[in-house]
Amino acid sequence: MSYNFESGLSKALEQLLKIESYYDVIIHVGREPNFKEFHAHSNILCCRSEYFNKILSTENIEKKDGKYIIKEPNISSQVFEIILKYLYTDQMNIANKTGTELLDLMIISDKLMLKKLVKLIEEYIIEHQQRFLQNDPVGILRIISYCKALVNLQELCLNKICSEPGILFNSDKFTQLSAPLLEIILKRDDLNLNEIEIWENLIKWGLAQEQVLNQDVSKWNKDDFNIFKRILYKFIPLIRFYEIPSEDYFNKVKPYEKVLSKELRNDITKFYMVPGYKPIYTPRNSNCLKCNIDSIIINQKHIAHFVNWIDRKKKEYINDVSYEFKLLYRASRDGNTAAAFHTKCDNKGATIVIVKIKNSEQIFGGYNPLFWDSSNSEKSTKDSFIFSTADKNNFQSAKVVYSNGNQYSIRNYSYCGPYFGCNDLFVNLRDNPNLWYYYNFNSVNDSYIDALNLPNQIDVAVSKIIRRSELPANALTRGAIKLWNEKQKNQEHGTLFRNGLLKPWKCSQNSLEDLGLTWVSRNGLEDLELIWDIDDDYTSNNAR
C-alpha cells in the first residue's frame, strides 16, 4: 500500500523557507525603494527552476561568505516572493489576483523558465479574465509579444485586434507600436479593415517614426522618399494593393508611389489598365469569419458568439465558421402570424431565433438544434439554449442557458411561434403576436433552469414598413407624411405635415383609406409613427 505525504512535505518546505535555516543563496530582487533580499537553498532552486539551475551551475557565479549571490533588479519583489513560495511548496492561489497581477506573474514565470506555471496562469487568464483582456488587448499584446510560450494569449489578443481593428488603429498606442508587432498584424489575413485604410494607417505610423519628414508629401525631395522607403520596406509586401479601388490608389497611394519598387508599380498599373489581368496575391480576409448576414438586428460579430454557443466552446473568437446562416423568417417582412412563421420555418432543420426589445439595445432568443413543425408536440434535447443580453453591442453582458434535456426542451404548436421549454420562453402568435413570455419558476418541468435577465412579459411590437413603391397612386407625392394617432373614444386623431406646413386633421381608419393611405397599427402601443420620406424608406428599430 502506498501513501501520499505531499501535503506534509509542502508544509515542511514552506517552513524551511520561512525560518531560512541552512540557506546558501542570497537573491537581490528589485530596485530601491522596492528592493528586497531573499534567502533560499540552491538544491531546491536547481531542482525546481531551469533558469536558476543554469545560473548556479556557472563557474564564475558571485559568492560572498560561502553563499551564492544572484541579482534580479528587473523583477518585482512582490511577484518574486509569490514565485519563490511556489518553488518550495508547488502551491499558488491565483484566484484572488487581478488581471494585471496575473500578467506580471506570468511574465516573470516565463523569465524564470517555469513552463508549468506559465501555462497554468495563461489558461486561467483566458478562462476567467475576459474583461481584462477586452479592456486593453493592445497593451497586453505589447507586453507579451516577446514571450514565445504565450502563444494562446497572443492569438487571443490578435484575434480581438483583427476583429475590431479600431481599438488599435484609432488609439494613441498605434504609432508607438514596434515594427515587429506591426508586421505580425499586417501579415494577418483576418485583419478586418479595408486595404486602403491599412495603407493610410501604415503611412501614419511611418511618419510618426521619423519626425523630420514633412507631413505634406508634395514637398518631399529624393532623400525624404529614401528615408520613408527604409521605414516601410518590410511592410510594402504586406499591402494587398490589388484590393484598393483605382480612385483611392490614385488619390492616396500614388503620392507615395516612389517608395514602391518599379516592378510593383508596373504590375499595379497593368492590373488597373489591362482587362482580365489577374496578379498572384493572397486576398485579405481569406481565412477569417465570412457570413453574409441578412439581418437588421445582428452582424458578423454576433455570429462568432452564436457559433461558440452552439459548439459549447468557451473561446471567444473564431476564424472559421462551419455553419451557413440563412434568413428564413422576418416578422415585419413575412407577417407576424403563426401561419407565416410555420410556412417559412417548419422542417428546415436547426434554427436560431433573435428578437430585439423595442426602444432598447437588448436582444434575446434561442437555438433549436432540431426543427420546428406544427405537430402540437414536444421534443427533448440537451443542445438547445436560450439567451439574452442587455446590450447587443456588448456581448460581455450576455447570458446563455442550456436545456437540461427534459421532454419540454422544444415545443411545437401550430398557433405559436418559437417555443422553448415548458413555459420558459415563447410567443403565442394567435392571441398576442407582439408579446413574448418568459417564466422561470424553478419547477420540475422547467427545461432552462438558470434565470435570464428578462421580464415575464416582453413587448416586441412589429411595425409594417410602407415603402414608396407600395403607396397608392393617390397618396401624397411630395415631402414627408408623419401621422400620430391617439386612442380617444375609439377615434383616431392625427396631425398631417405636408411640405413643412402643419395642418390639424382628424381622421378615422376609413378616411385614411379613402385618401389612398394604408393604415398601420401596433398592438399594445399608445402611439403610432408612420414615416414615409421621398428620399429614404423608413426602417423601424423595433423587433423583427
Side-chain angles (χ1 to χ4, degrees), residues 253-282:
V253 179
K254 193 171 179 57
Y256 299 93
E257 205 175 35
K258 291 180 181 179
V259 303
L260 310 183
S261 68
K262 183 178 180 180
E263 293 77 15
L264 179 57
R265 294 199 301 267
N266 289 340
D267 202 53
I268 294 172
T269 302
K270 186 176 180 181
F271 170 73
Y272 288 129
M273 299 185 67
V274 178
Y277 175 67
K278 294 183 179 180
I280 299 175
Y281 77 104
T282 302

Coordinates of all heavy atoms in Angstrom, one line a residue, residues 253-282:
V253 N -2.5 56.5 -52.7 CA -1.2 55.7 -52.8 C -0.2 56.4 -53.7 O 1.0 56.5 -53.4 CB -1.5 54.3 -53.2 CG1 -0.2 53.5 -53.4 CG2 -2.5 53.6 -52.3
K254 N -0.7 56.9 -54.9 CA 0.2 57.4 -55.9 C 1.1 58.5 -55.4 O 2.3 58.6 -55.8 CB -0.6 57.9 -57.1 CG 0.2 58.2 -58.3 CD -0.6 58.4 -59.5 CE 0.3 58.7 -60.7 NZ 1.2 57.6 -61.0
P255 N 0.6 59.4 -54.5 CA 1.6 60.4 -54.0 C 2.8 59.9 -53.3 O 3.9 60.5 -53.2 CB 0.7 61.2 -52.9 CG -0.7 61.0 -53.4 CD -0.7 59.7 -54.0
Y256 N 2.7 58.6 -52.8 CA 3.8 58.0 -52.1 C 4.4 56.9 -53.0 O 5.2 56.0 -52.5 CB 3.4 57.3 -50.8 CG 2.8 58.3 -49.8 CD1 1.5 58.6 -49.7 CD2 3.7 59.0 -48.9 CE1 1.0 59.5 -48.8 CE2 3.2 59.9 -48.0 CZ 1.8 60.1 -47.9 OH 1.4 61.0 -47.0
E257 N 4.1 56.8 -54.2 CA 4.4 55.7 -55.1 C 5.9 55.5 -55.2 O 6.4 54.4 -55.5 CB 3.8 56.0 -56.5 CG 3.6 54.7 -57.3 CD 2.9 55.1 -58.6 OE1 3.2 56.1 -59.2 OE2 2.1 54.3 -59.1
K258 N 6.7 56.5 -55.0 CA 8.2 56.3 -55.1 C 8.8 55.4 -54.1 O 9.9 55.0 -54.2 CB 8.9 57.7 -55.1 CG 8.6 58.6 -56.3 CD 9.3 59.9 -56.1 CE 9.0 60.8 -57.3 NZ 9.7 62.1 -57.2
V259 N 8.0 55.1 -53.0 CA 8.5 54.1 -52.1 C 8.3 52.7 -52.5 O 8.8 51.7 -51.9 CB 7.9 54.3 -50.7 CG1 8.1 55.7 -50.2 CG2 6.4 54.0 -50.7
L260 N 7.5 52.5 -53.6 CA 7.3 51.2 -54.2 C 8.3 50.9 -55.2 O 8.9 51.8 -55.9 CB 5.9 51.1 -54.8 CG 4.7 51.6 -54.0 CD1 3.4 51.3 -54.8 CD2 4.6 50.9 -52.6
S261 N 8.6 49.6 -55.4 CA 9.6 49.2 -56.4 C 9.0 49.5 -57.8 O 7.8 49.5 -57.9 CB 10.0 47.7 -56.2 OG 8.8 46.9 -56.6
K262 N 9.9 49.6 -58.7 CA 9.4 49.9 -60.1 C 8.6 48.7 -60.6 O 7.6 48.9 -61.3 CB 10.6 50.1 -61.0 CG 10.2 50.5 -62.5 CD 11.5 50.7 -63.3 CE 11.1 51.1 -64.7 NZ 12.3 51.3 -65.6
E263 N 9.0 47.5 -60.3 CA 8.3 46.3 -60.7 C 6.9 46.3 -60.2 O 5.9 45.9 -60.9 CB 9.0 45.0 -60.3 CG 10.4 44.8 -61.0 CD 11.5 45.7 -60.4 OE1 11.3 46.3 -59.3 OE2 12.5 45.8 -61.0
L264 N 6.7 46.6 -58.9 CA 5.4 46.6 -58.3 C 4.5 47.7 -58.9 O 3.3 47.4 -59.2 CB 5.6 46.8 -56.8 CG 4.2 46.9 -56.0 CD1 3.4 45.6 -56.2 CD2 4.5 47.1 -54.5
R265 N 5.1 48.9 -59.1 CA 4.3 49.9 -59.7 C 3.8 49.5 -61.1 O 2.6 49.8 -61.4 CB 5.1 51.2 -59.8 CG 5.5 51.8 -58.5 CD 5.9 53.3 -58.6 NE 7.0 53.5 -59.6 CZ 8.3 53.5 -59.2 NH1 8.6 53.4 -57.9 NH2 9.3 53.8 -60.1
N266 N 4.6 48.9 -61.9 CA 4.2 48.5 -63.2 C 3.1 47.4 -63.2 O 2.2 47.4 -64.0 CB 5.4 47.9 -64.0 CG 6.4 49.0 -64.4 OD1 6.1 50.2 -64.4 ND2 7.7 48.7 -64.6
D267 N 3.3 46.5 -62.2 CA 2.3 45.4 -62.1 C 0.9 46.0 -61.7 O -0.1 45.5 -62.1 CB 2.8 44.4 -61.1 CG 2.1 43.0 -61.3 OD1 2.1 42.5 -62.5 OD2 1.5 42.5 -60.3
I268 N 0.9 47.0 -60.7 CA -0.3 47.6 -60.3 C -1.0 48.3 -61.5 O -2.2 48.3 -61.7 CB -0.1 48.5 -59.1 CG1 0.4 47.7 -57.9 CG2 -1.3 49.3 -58.8 CD1 0.9 48.6 -56.7
T269 N -0.2 49.0 -62.2 CA -0.7 49.8 -63.4 C -1.3 48.8 -64.4 O -2.4 49.0 -64.9 CB 0.4 50.6 -64.1 OG1 1.0 51.5 -63.2 CG2 -0.1 51.3 -65.3
K270 N -0.7 47.7 -64.6 CA -1.2 46.6 -65.5 C -2.5 46.1 -65.0 O -3.4 45.9 -65.8 CB -0.2 45.5 -65.6 CG -0.5 44.5 -66.7 CD 0.6 43.4 -66.8 CE 0.3 42.4 -67.8 NZ 1.4 41.4 -67.9
F271 N -2.6 45.9 -63.7 CA -3.8 45.4 -63.1 C -5.0 46.3 -63.3 O -6.1 45.9 -63.6 CB -3.6 45.2 -61.6 CG -4.9 44.9 -60.8 CD1 -5.5 43.6 -60.9 CD2 -5.4 45.8 -60.0 CE1 -6.6 43.3 -60.2 CE2 -6.6 45.6 -59.3 CZ -7.2 44.3 -59.4
Y272 N -4.8 47.6 -63.2 CA -5.8 48.6 -63.4 C -6.2 48.8 -64.8 O -7.3 49.2 -65.2 CB -5.5 49.9 -62.7 CG -5.5 49.9 -61.2 CD1 -4.4 50.4 -60.5 CD2 -6.6 49.4 -60.5 CE1 -4.4 50.4 -59.1 CE2 -6.6 49.4 -59.1 CZ -5.5 49.9 -58.4 OH -5.5 49.9 -57.1
M273 N -5.3 48.6 -65.7 CA -5.5 49.0 -67.1 C -5.7 47.9 -68.1 O -6.3 48.1 -69.2 CB -4.3 49.9 -67.6 CG -4.0 51.1 -66.8 SD -2.7 52.2 -67.5 CE -3.4 52.7 -69.0
V274 N -5.3 46.7 -67.8 CA -5.4 45.6 -68.7 C -6.6 44.7 -68.3 O -6.5 44.0 -67.2 CB -4.1 44.7 -68.7 CG1 -4.3 43.5 -69.7 CG2 -3.0 45.6 -69.2
P275 N -7.7 44.7 -69.0 CA -8.8 43.9 -68.7 C -8.5 42.4 -68.6 O -7.7 41.8 -69.4 CB -9.8 44.1 -69.8 CG -9.4 45.4 -70.4 CD -7.9 45.4 -70.3
G276 N -8.9 41.7 -67.5 CA -8.7 40.3 -67.3 C -7.4 39.9 -66.7 O -7.2 38.8 -66.4
Y277 N -6.5 40.9 -66.4 CA -5.2 40.6 -65.8 C -5.4 40.3 -64.3 O -6.1 41.1 -63.6 CB -4.3 41.8 -66.0 CG -2.9 41.5 -65.3 CD1 -2.1 40.5 -65.7 CD2 -2.6 42.3 -64.1 CE1 -0.9 40.3 -65.0 CE2 -1.4 42.1 -63.5 CZ -0.5 41.0 -63.9 OH 0.6 40.8 -63.3
K278 N -4.9 39.2 -63.9 CA -5.1 38.7 -62.5 C -3.7 38.5 -61.9 O -3.1 37.5 -62.2 CB -6.0 37.5 -62.4 CG -7.4 37.7 -62.9 CD -8.2 36.4 -62.7 CE -9.7 36.6 -63.1 NZ -10.5 35.4 -63.0
P279 N -3.3 39.4 -61.1 CA -2.0 39.2 -60.4 C -2.1 38.1 -59.4 O -3.2 37.8 -58.9 CB -1.7 40.5 -59.7 CG -3.0 41.1 -59.5 CD -3.9 40.7 -60.7
I280 N -1.0 37.5 -59.0 CA -1.0 36.4 -58.0 C -0.7 37.1 -56.6 O 0.3 37.7 -56.4 CB 0.1 35.4 -58.3 CG1 -0.1 34.7 -59.6 CG2 0.2 34.4 -57.2 CD1 1.0 33.8 -60.0
Y281 N -1.7 37.0 -55.8 CA -1.6 37.6 -54.4 C -2.6 36.9 -53.5 O -3.6 36.3 -54.0 CB -1.8 39.1 -54.4 CG -3.2 39.5 -54.6 CD1 -3.9 40.0 -53.5 CD2 -3.9 39.5 -55.8 CE1 -5.2 40.4 -53.6 CE2 -5.2 39.9 -55.9 CZ -5.9 40.3 -54.8 OH -7.2 40.7 -54.9
T282 N -2.4 37.0 -52.2 CA -3.4 36.5 -51.2 C -4.3 37.6 -50.8 O -3.9 38.6 -50.2 CB -2.6 35.9 -50.0 OG1 -1.7 35.0 -50.5 CG2 -3.6 35.3 -49.0

